[in-house]
């Protein structure tokens, strides 16, 4: 049977050959929807056939009625299954970065122009499906999970959107392909300790100042500032949201350097670097990142953290 | 394509639905099958419910296997075999219950539901009445709702979320069902040999008659058959429905001679024949009934030399046939000598006084008609018609009847009369069947019940052939002219609720219901190859083959399927309940034109905040509209006026 399976696969690949990512929103118009009986559907057909034979054999007029009722219901159910999928609108949604080993999710916003849709499933090839009911008007978001293993970029690729509602006799499906990708950061190595405070180049410029933890300046809160740096006491005094600026940051920049991370392989080094980035960010330090061929100037904040981790995620070469 | 692995959603509520559906569909069987089957079924269902409810372990395969073997043996011991109707249904019921017990996955659920559909069909083996049909339609509805419940991934749906889509499926399927029912090429079954079941409890005339046998039958109000005449109904006194002809006599019991198929019926036909259609209820006998005398046999039946209609197989289901009968006829003038010899024979040691009386009459006159008149006078003078005759002497029952009790019913009169004729040397035989019937005033259908069962005699005269003589008419002319109730007077023994209320409300209801049943039997239950041909003949097709049927079936399927598809697409437009959404979308469109497009992920309140920040001058109006929309859509809902107000405010909103 493997020959047959291969053949089926190649036919299927040819029929549903991948196209370039589509521009959202994608509406599942009639010609994009495929429909075939499920295994339960074939079982149902067999049931109806046996009922028909029994009705003929025993001359049961009501048996004929039952047979035709079930058969017609299957036909109507096919239309309902198709209708349950038709005219859905899909858009790409959020895809937040995760650390390697975590479950990432591709967000897909699904909208039904009319009629509540039940049990709409989404899945990537070979993965488990997720289901949701989509009410009218208000778009629903389905997060398609993906189990990450290694750092880098995971592309969503082609998604199958499908349904078997109401009777499970038919499988209606369509493919959509959005340019969706999740950045997978290296998994931080919590055993790595702290980065050396002395960068080799900057060693002569700045001397680590004692009292890193003491702030000398309060400034207005900006979105994205770490909650750890909010001056809660000031808030309690009714001075509003203020962010602490640390003296240490003002005077010295931390450089997180590829050369300082000692591990047998690239992935180990990246894990250490990732840990340092997170640690530095948690402390609210300004930090820069130096990788072979890449240099990110010192800065702080969410955006900077993401930029650094992304650089680690996408790093190629080394060792 | 790889089949997706549906995770099992054996939600407790879904399982309970399935169990309820199973109970519903098996319920009618529980009254028909041995009581242990019902107990077994309910116990197993309760066990399965308990498993789901308390999430305890399933029984091991070993235990289920042991129960299966025990139940199979039980069925075998009960019925002596597995293949028959009761045995087969018992086995199916038992196995369906056990299947539920080990049902763990979606696939097994589906299998159980399909088994449920088979159980629906098995009910029709026992009865195809309107109430049962409606009941089982409801069962199909519940099964469909159950299947929908199992196909809702995630949470188990609410009651309405199961029943409404299931009802929609059933209702939308109905036009197709009608088309298929009418057009699907019918094949005359059976395809394989039917199990020969004892149709227990069915009443009907049999091939034997002894005193007291028919009067038991006559107390049954069950319908024997229904008749629709083409044109006028013949007079009541001619409604003799010929059934088994009994020639062999042993002194007590009359029996039918082995049937001989008539190669050709040749009898003189006088006047115009009566044409009619009969729907006969199953009676487990081989006899079909026709007015005296039938012209030719219907399909799958034969006409014997003594003009009985006999089917090849016992009648185990309703059957419809068309008949032509000649009410005025001359038949059997050149009857076979062996037949005549047999029609004269009797055992002289039994009923000796009766035999002596017949011989005495023969000695007095040689005119057979005078002898018949003697007998009629005897009956008229001294005899009483009753359904509760006293018991008769088992050895010489007709002596006892003629000379002692003198109270009896049709079989007493027909039997003793025939014996008298034989004793007098006149060939005679007993004919059983039905006499008369009840006319439904709504549709003129004649309903013949078991209570109309009757027996009469036929004598053979040289040069004339067989002549019908009804000795009961001599005793009780009303019996023949108006039916058995009239003959018995106002306090008849027949427990017919409304026998005295012939034109009252109850009678109207009853006749109306009978008419509906008649149509149902005729057009639904009795719809077969011939009916289908008739139906198309009415549409102007002289002959109809499967190609024509197939063509029209395709046309109907596509027409109905197209109509349903259109109907589904028309619902694309939002309904009134979504008027708030329409207004909101219009509001968003206005803002989008002003450069403030709502992002798809943005909820109404987030969007409002952004609008307020960007355009403080619109804040008040936008706040008002948004709050109204949120209240209508996510709050307690909105009245028609509130929706109109919202739409108006959106219309007046100027984003410029």
């Amino acid at each position: 049977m493997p020959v047959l399976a291969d053949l089926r696969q190649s036919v299927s690949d040819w029929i549903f050959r991948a196209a370039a990512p589509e521009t959202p929103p994608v509406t599942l118009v009639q010609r994009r929807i495929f429909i075939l009986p499920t295994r339960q559907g074939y079982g149902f057909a067999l049931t109806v056939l046996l009922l028909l034979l029994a009705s003929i054999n025993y001359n049961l007029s009501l048996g004929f009625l039952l047979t035709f009722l079930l058969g017609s219901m299957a036909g109507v159910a096919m239309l309902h299954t198709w209708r349950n999928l038709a005219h859905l609108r899909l858009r790409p949604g959020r895809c937040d970065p995760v650390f390697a080993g975590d479950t990432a999710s591709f967000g897909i916003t699904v909208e039904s122009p009319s009629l509540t849709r039940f049990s709409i499933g989404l899945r990537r090839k070979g993965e488990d499906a997720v289901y949701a009911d989509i009410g009218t008007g208000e778009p629903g978001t389905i997060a398609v999970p993906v189990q990450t293993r290694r750092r880098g970029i995971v592309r969503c690729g082609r998604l199958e959107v499908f349904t078997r509602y109401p009777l499970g006799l038919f499988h209606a499906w369509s493919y959509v392909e959005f340019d969706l990708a999740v950045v997978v950061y290296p998994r931080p190595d919590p055993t790595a300790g702290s980065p050396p405070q002395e960068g080799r180049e900057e060693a002569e410029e700045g001397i680590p100042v004692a009292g890193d933890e003491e702030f000398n300046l309060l400034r207005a809160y900006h979105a994205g500032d770490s909650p750890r740096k909010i001056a809660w006491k000031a808030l309690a005094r009714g001075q509003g949201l203020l962010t602490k600026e640390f003296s240490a940051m003002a005077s010295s920049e931390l450089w997180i350097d590829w050369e300082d991370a000692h591990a047998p392989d690239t992935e180990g080094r990246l894990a250490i670097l990732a840990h340092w980035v997170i640690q530095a960010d948690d402390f609210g330090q300004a930090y820069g990142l130096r990788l072979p061929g890449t240099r990110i100037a010192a800065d702080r904040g969410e955006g900077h953290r993401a930029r650094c981790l992304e650089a680690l995620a996408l790093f190629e070469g080394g060792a | 394509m790889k089949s997706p692995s549906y995770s099992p959603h054996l939600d407790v509520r879904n399982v309970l639905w399935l169990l309820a559906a199973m109970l519903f569909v098996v319920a009618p069987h529980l009254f028909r099958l041995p009581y242990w089957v019902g107990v077994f079924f309910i116990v197993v269902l309760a066990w399965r419910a308990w498993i789901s409810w308390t999430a305890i372990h399933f029984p091991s395969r070993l235990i289920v296997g042991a129960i299966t073997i025990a139940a199979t043996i039980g069925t075998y011991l009960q019925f002596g075999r597995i293949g028959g109707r009761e045995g087969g249904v018992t086995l199916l019921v038992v196995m369906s219950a056990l299947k539920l017990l080990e049902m763990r996955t979606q696939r097994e659920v589906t299998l159980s539901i399909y088994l449920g559909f088979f159980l629906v069909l098995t009910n029709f083996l026992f009865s195809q009445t309107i109430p049962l049909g409606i009941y089982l339609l409801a069962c199909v509805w519940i099964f469909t709702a159950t299947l929908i419940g199992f196909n809702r991934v995630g949470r188990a749906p609410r009651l309405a979320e199961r029943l409404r889509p299931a009802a929609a499926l059933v209702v939308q399927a109905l036009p197709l069902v009608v088309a298929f029912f009418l057009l699907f090429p019918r094949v005359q079954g059976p395809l394989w040999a039917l199990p020969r079941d004892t149709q227990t409890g069915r009443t009907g005339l049999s091939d034997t008659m002894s005193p007291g046998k028919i009067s038991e039958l006559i107390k049954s109000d069950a319908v024997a058959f229904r008749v629709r005449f083409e044109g006028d109904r013949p007079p009541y006194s001619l409604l003799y429905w010929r059934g088994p002809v009994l020639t062999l006599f042993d002194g007590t019991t009359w029996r039918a001679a082995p049937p001989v198929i008539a190669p050709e019926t040749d009898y003189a036909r006088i006047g115009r024949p009566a044409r009619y259609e009969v729907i006969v209820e199953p009676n487990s006998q081989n006899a079909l009934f026709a007015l005296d005398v039938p012209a030719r046999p219907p399909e799958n039946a034969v006409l014997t030399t003594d003009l009985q209609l006999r089917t090849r197989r016992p009648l185990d289901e309703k059957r419809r046939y068309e008949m032509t009968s000649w009410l005025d006829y001359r038949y059997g003038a050149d009857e076979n000598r062996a037949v005549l010899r047999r029609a004269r024979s009797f055992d002289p040691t039994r009923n000796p006084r009766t035999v002596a009386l017949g011989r005495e009459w023969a000695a007095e006159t040689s005119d057979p008609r005078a002898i018949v008149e003697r007998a009629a006078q005897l009956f008229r003078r001294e005899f009483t018609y009753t359904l509760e005759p006293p018991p008769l002497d088992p050895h010489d029952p007709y002596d006892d009847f003629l000379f002692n009790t003198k109270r009896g019913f049709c079989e007493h009169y027909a039997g003793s009369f025939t014996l008298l004729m034989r004793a007098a040397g006149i060939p005679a035989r007993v004919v059983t069947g039905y006499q008369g019937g009840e006319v439904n005033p709504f549709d003129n259908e004649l309903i013949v019940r078991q209570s109309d069962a009757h027996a009469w005699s036929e004598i053979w005269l040289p040069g004339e052939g067989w002549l019908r003589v009804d000795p009961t008419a001599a005793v009780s002319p009303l019996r023949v002219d108006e039916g058995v109730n009239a003959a018995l007077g106002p306090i008849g023994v027949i427990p017919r609720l409304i026998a005295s209320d012939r034109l009252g409300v109850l009678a109207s209801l009853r006749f109306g219901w009978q008419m509906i049943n008649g149509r149902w039997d005729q057009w639904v239950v009795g719809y077969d190859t011939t009916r289908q041909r008739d139906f198309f003949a009415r549409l102007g097709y002289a002959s109809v083959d499967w190609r024509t049927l197939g063509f029209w079936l395709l046309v109907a399927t596509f027409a109905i399927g197209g109509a349903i598809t259109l109907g589904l697409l028309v619902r694309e437009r939002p309904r009134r309940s979504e008027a708030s959404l329409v207004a909101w979308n219009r509001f968003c469109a206005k803002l989008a034109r002003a450069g403030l497009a709502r992002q798809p992920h943005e909820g109404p309140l987030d969007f409002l905040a952004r609008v307020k920040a960007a355009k403080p001058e619109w804040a008040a109006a936008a706040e008002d509209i948004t709050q109204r929309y949120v209240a209508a859509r996510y709050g307690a809902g909105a009245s028609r006026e509130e929706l109109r107000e919202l739409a108006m405010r959106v219309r007046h909103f100027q984003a410029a």
Side-chain angles (χ1 to χ4, degrees):
Chain A
M1 293 304 273
V3 180
L4 196 60
D6 286 353
L7 188 69
R8 269 177 51 153
Q9 188 57 51
S10 50
V11 167
S12 153
D13 285 350
W14 178 75
I15 293 174
F16 309 115
R17 56 192 173 277
E22 298 165 279
T23 29
V26 167
T27 303
L28 301 183
V29 293
Q30 198 170 331
R31 63 188 160 76
R32 300 183 61 121
I33 297 177
F34 308 95
I35 188 161
L36 277 179
T38 58
R39 199 193 308 219
Q40 282 96 318
Y42 288 116
F44 192 83
L46 184 67
T47 305
V48 170
L49 183 70
L50 290 176
L51 287 173
L52 179 67
L53 286 179
S55 303
I56 291 174
N57 199 54
Y58 292 88
N59 279 327
L60 297 175
S61 266
L62 295 201
F64 278 109
L65 276 178
L66 172 73
T67 308
F68 298 146
L69 176 64
L70 293 182
S72 304
M73 265 166 48
V76 174
M78 179 180 77
L79 297 175
H80 280 247
T81 305
W82 166 78
R83 186 67 188 82
N84 197 32
L85 203 59
H87 301 188
L88 273 184
R89 260 202 296 278
L90 287 90
R91 284 191 191 84
R94 290 175 59 140
C95 302
D96 293 330
V98 293
F99 292 100
D102 289 348
T103 303
S105 65
F106 300 104
I108 302 287
T109 305
V110 187
E111 195 180 354
S112 165
S114 67
L115 300 174
T116 303
R117 316 301 180 101
F118 296 105
S119 303
I120 300 292
L122 268 175
R123 75 173 156 213
R124 297 170 72 229
K125 193 171 177 169
E127 307 266 340
D128 284 344
V130 276
Y131 297 87
D133 294 346
I134 310 293
T136 52
E138 211 53 33
T141 297
I142 305 181
V144 183
V146 53
Q147 177 64 42
T148 61
R149 274 177 287 276
R150 299 180 322 125
R151 69 179 177 94
I153 282 208
V154 177
R155 298 205 171 273
C156 179
R158 191 165 63 172
L159 275 175
E160 183 191 344
V161 45
F162 66 93
T163 186
R164 291 171 160 207
Y165 183 83
L167 296 188
L169 307 180
F170 291 92
H171 179 87
W173 79 101
S174 183
Y175 293 117
V176 288
E177 185 152 9
F178 294 125
D179 197 6
L180 272 178
V182 163
V183 178
V184 183
Y185 301 150
R187 180 135 215 104
D189 179 1
T191 61
S194 297
Q197 295 293 318
E198 242 169 309
R200 264 167 290 120
E201 282 173 36
E202 280 79 9
E204 56 274 16
E205 288 171 24
I207 294 162
V209 180
D212 270 359
E213 305 290 302
E214 287 170 18
F215 64 95
N216 60 353
L217 176 63
L218 286 171
R219 61 166 172 82
Y221 173 81
H222 294 304
D225 285 347
S226 165
R228 288 167 200 272
K229 291 182 274 178
I230 290 171
W232 296 108
K233 284 178 186 157
L235 184 66
R237 283 195 296 269
Q239 290 173 284
L241 268 177
L242 296 171
T243 301
K244 298 182 253 185
E245 293 262 343
F246 290 89
S247 57
M249 296 176 219
S251 60
S252 117
E253 289 170 343
L254 170 69
W255 278 95
I256 295 171
D257 196 321
W258 169 264
E259 297 300 330
D260 294 334
H262 300 294
D265 61 350
T266 311
E267 297 309 314
R269 285 182 151 184
L270 291 172
I272 293 168
L273 294 174
H275 177 69
W276 288 346
V277 166
I278 293 162
Q279 204 175 44
D281 181 67
D282 281 351
F283 287 137
Q285 255 177 311
Y287 56 93
L289 176 69
R290 220 170 4 226
L291 293 172
T294 316
R295 184 173 181 278
I296 296 173
D299 197 354
R300 62 172 81 83
E302 291 283 309
H304 178 65
R305 173 183 184 269
R307 210 156 38 246
C308 291
L309 288 171
E310 196 173 313
L312 295 177
L314 304 182
F315 177 73
E316 284 171 19
Chain B
M1 196 194 68
K2 183 173 158 278
S3 180
S5 56
Y6 254 46
S7 52
H9 324 286
L10 296 193
D11 179 279
V12 181
R13 281 202 287 170
N14 281 338
V15 172
L16 291 183
W17 264 81
L18 178 54
L19 297 182
M22 279 290 184
L23 190 60
F24 272 119
V25 79
V26 170
H29 281 321
L30 299 185
F31 299 100
R32 304 180 183 120
L33 300 178
Y35 74 96
W36 65 265
V37 179
V39 173
F40 178 87
F41 187 77
I42 290 169
V43 166
V44 171
L45 250 63
W47 187 2
R48 183 61 179 87
W50 187 247
I51 288 173
S52 268
W53 192 258
T54 59
I56 56 170
H57 288 298
F58 284 90
S60 75
R61 302 236 173 227
L62 200 66
I63 293 176
V64 176
I67 300 175
T68 309
I69 291 168
T72 312
I73 292 172
T75 310
Y76 187 82
L77 290 179
Q78 181 86 44
F79 298 102
R81 63 198 167 133
I82 300 295
R85 186 179 61 160
E86 266 89 359
V89 171
T90 300
L91 204 63
L92 189 63
V93 167
V94 164
M95 291 302 150
S96 306
L98 289 171
K99 186 74 220 158
L100 291 172
L101 201 54
E102 57 160 23
M103 176 183 73
R104 287 161 228 234
T105 65
Q106 179 84 9
R107 195 180 303 166
E108 284 167 322
V109 166
T110 314
L111 188 63
S112 284
I113 292 175
Y114 295 173
L115 274 175
F117 289 137
F118 271 101
L119 287 170
V120 172
L121 186 90
T122 56
N123 276 294
F124 296 136
L125 290 171
F126 295 87
S127 164
Q128 299 195 69
T129 58
I130 296 177
L132 191 75
I134 293 172
Y135 178 81
L136 291 170
L137 180 66
C139 285
V140 170
W141 182 28
I142 297 172
F143 270 116
T144 310
T146 309
L147 196 52
I148 288 175
F150 278 106
N151 277 289
R152 279 289 294 275
V153 190
R155 71 196 167 83
R158 294 192 310 273
L159 183 71
E161 284 179 326
R162 293 168 195 270
L163 289 179
R164 205 174 301 137
L169 285 178
V170 171
V171 169
Q172 288 171 22
L174 286 181
L176 264 181
V177 174
V178 173
F180 266 82
F181 188 77
L182 290 175
L183 297 173
F184 188 84
R186 289 304 179 87
V187 184
Q188 194 62 47
L191 300 174
W192 65 88
L194 292 175
R196 280 273 63 80
D197 271 299
T198 47
Q199 305 279 345
T200 43
R202 278 186 183 163
T203 51
L205 284 175
S206 64
D207 282 352
T208 64
M209 184 192 86
S210 49
K213 204 165 174 196
I214 290 181
S215 54
E216 281 309 308
L217 183 63
I218 218 156
K219 288 172 193 164
S220 160
D221 216 13
V223 173
F225 52 91
R226 298 185 167 86
V227 188
R228 307 176 71 83
F229 285 99
E230 207 176 281
D232 289 340
R233 178 169 52 82
Y236 212 84
S237 58
L238 286 181
L239 296 180
Y240 279 87
W241 304 97
R242 192 182 181 94
V245 177
L246 313 179
T247 310
L248 307 181
F249 180 58
D250 65 1
T252 309
T253 306
W254 298 85
R255 292 174 203 284
V260 180
I261 297 170
E264 186 71 33
T265 54
D266 71 282
Y267 47 84
R269 292 152 180 182
I270 302 164
R272 285 178 43 220
R275 293 181 202 281
Y276 52 96
E277 176 187 279
V278 181
I279 296 170
V280 61
E281 297 287 324
N283 56 22
S284 301
Q285 307 286 341
N286 289 72
L288 292 181
F289 299 92
L291 279 178
D292 227 3
V293 293
R296 74 182 67 80
E299 257 176 66
N300 285 328
V302 293
L303 192 59
T304 62
T305 47
D306 46 11
L307 297 180
Q308 296 180 64
L309 289 174
R310 296 187 72 84
T311 54
R312 296 181 193 279
R313 260 185 285 273
L315 211 56
D316 283 338
E317 66 237 9
K318 266 187 203 195
R319 179 156 179 201
R320 197 190 64 83
Y321 53 93
E322 276 162 18
M323 278 306 304
T324 304
S325 286
W326 297 84
L327 304 186
D328 201 354
Y329 58 93
R330 298 283 175 273
Y331 166 67
D334 53 350
E335 183 63 276
N336 186 314
R337 298 169 72 87
V339 171
L340 292 181
R341 201 180 315 121
R342 201 185 279 159
R344 266 195 300 258
S345 71
F346 55 92
D347 179 353
T349 64
R350 309 280 301 269
N351 305 296
R353 295 179 68 189
T354 310
V355 170
L357 181 64
R359 286 184 171 152
E360 187 188 314
W361 287 345
E364 287 171 20
T365 172
S366 58
D367 178 11
R369 288 177 190 278
I371 295 173
V372 170
E373 187 49 39
R374 283 277 178 89
Q377 276 173 10
L378 174 72
F379 289 146
R380 248 196 311 270
R381 218 167 37 229
E382 298 173 39
F383 284 74
T384 317
Y385 182 85
T386 174
L387 280 186
E388 300 290 327
L392 298 173
D393 178 78
H395 189 260
D396 303 315
Y398 292 109
D399 276 7
D400 201 12
F401 168 64
L402 282 180
F403 300 100
N404 294 327
T405 66
K406 303 190 178 186
R407 291 159 55 78
F409 191 59
C410 59
E411 72 254 39
H412 299 84
Y413 295 102
S416 54
F417 177 82
T418 308
L419 180 57
L420 282 168
M421 291 304 113
R422 286 189 178 188
I426 302 170
R429 61 195 182 190
V430 172
V431 182
T432 58
Y434 297 86
Q435 205 273 321
E438 182 179 33
V439 178
N440 186 332
F442 284 101
D443 58 357
N444 251 342
E445 196 178 68
L446 187 79
I447 300 160
V448 180
R449 297 171 184 280
Q450 297 300 348
S451 54
D452 295 312
H454 194 47
W456 59 92
S457 297
E458 264 185 343
I459 59 169
W460 186 85
L461 301 183
E464 293 189 59
W466 290 102
L467 296 175
R468 181 173 67 225
V469 179
D470 187 352
T472 312
V475 186
S476 173
L478 280 175
R479 168 66 184 88
V480 176
D481 290 340
E482 289 181 32
V484 68
N485 270 359
L488 290 167
I491 44 160
V493 291
I494 299 169
R496 217 181 275 181
L497 170 65
I498 41 187
S500 57
D501 177 41
R502 289 196 88 87
L503 293 168
V505 177
L506 279 176
S508 302
L509 282 176
R510 187 174 63 122
F511 281 126
W513 175 238
Q514 280 172 353
M515 181 185 72
I516 293 167
N517 272 321
R519 291 287 151 83
W520 172 261
D521 286 347
Q522 208 178 6
W523 280 103
V524 181
V525 177
Y527 192 83
D528 58 2
T529 323
T530 9
R531 263 277 171 226
Q532 197 167 40
R533 216 180 293 137
D534 289 357
F535 179 73
F536 275 85
R538 284 190 192 194
L539 296 182
Y541 281 91
S543 72
V544 50
D545 58 358
W546 65 269
R547 265 186 234 97
T548 321
L549 291 172
F551 170 74
W552 284 113
L553 202 52
L554 269 182
V555 169
T557 306
F558 278 101
I560 295 167
I564 294 171
T565 312
L566 276 180
L568 286 173
L569 287 177
V570 161
R571 284 198 271 158
E572 190 67 57
R573 290 206 314 275
R575 281 171 292 176
R576 199 183 67 78
S577 60
E578 282 137 21
S580 62
L581 184 65
V582 174
W584 172 252
N585 283 341
R586 189 174 297 157
F587 172 67
C588 292
K590 280 189 172 186
L591 286 169
R593 279 197 295 276
L596 264 173
R598 186 174 72 89
Q599 296 304 307
H601 58 80
E602 221 168 5
L605 293 177
D606 295 338
F607 184 48
L608 173 67
R610 199 154 63 85
V611 170
K612 278 167 144 177
K615 300 277 185 184
E617 65 271 25
W618 297 344
E623 169 99 41
D624 176 50
I625 287 171
T626 308
Q627 293 304 346
R628 280 170 185 276
Y629 165 67
V630 169
R633 191 155 174 79
Y634 305 102
S639 68
R640 197 182 285 259
E641 286 69 34
E642 283 168 329
L643 288 174
R644 205 175 294 142
E645 183 68 24
L646 172 63
M648 200 192 71
R649 277 167 200 258
V650 169
R651 218 169 21 251
H652 292 296
F653 178 76
Q654 300 286 335

